[in-house]
Amino acid sequence: MASLSAQRAWPCPSRSRPVARAVRLQVRAAVSTNSIIVKSDVTKQQLEEMGVLRWPTWGCEASTFPWSYTENETCYVLQGRVLVTPDGGQPVEVKAGDLATFPAGMSCTWDVKEAISKHYNFH
């Protein structure tokens, strides 16, 4: 999801919320494909240390849409499942319980398979 400071409309505008603040994050990769990092074994303590539950939330029903990242984004998926396919790359599944980081400069397609809800942070 691109920077909200660019005033770009989100694909699911009824669930959009502005970015509250940036937090410096350190995420160890469990899986890294096409620069998307997905960590499936994040603990409650790690989420608390990162302040994830204080990040804004965003959600979207099942849909498919293109997206470009102007900043790095880290998100924690609360529910749902999505396949994110970087342009020219392979799809990466992100699902409930995953902590994912998307790199600045990446263009991709989001294919939301099951309605998704996530905490997110641009950095």
Side-chain angles (χ1 to χ4, degrees), residues 11-83:
C12 297
S14 64
R15 297 283 306 219
S16 301
R17 296 198 176 117
V19 175
R21 65 187 174 93
V23 176
R24 179 176 285 268
L25 302 174
Q26 295 180 349
V27 179
R28 281 187 309 141
V31 176
S32 178
T33 304
N34 297 318
S35 300
I36 298 173
I37 299 168
V38 179
K39 184 173 181 183
S40 297
D41 61 350
V42 64
T43 67
K44 183 177 179 180
Q45 180 179 347
Q46 290 170 315
L47 295 174
E48 288 173 0
E49 289 171 1
M50 295 171 65
V52 168
L53 299 180
R54 292 187 304 272
W55 297 350
T57 59
W58 175 85
C60 191
E61 297 300 319
S63 58
T64 302
F65 54 89
W67 199 256
S68 295
Y69 292 86
T70 58
E71 299 177 79
N72 292 324
E73 178 193 344
T74 297
C75 68
Y76 177 71
V77 180
L78 299 167
Q79 69 178 24
R81 183 172 67 92
V82 61
L83 290 178

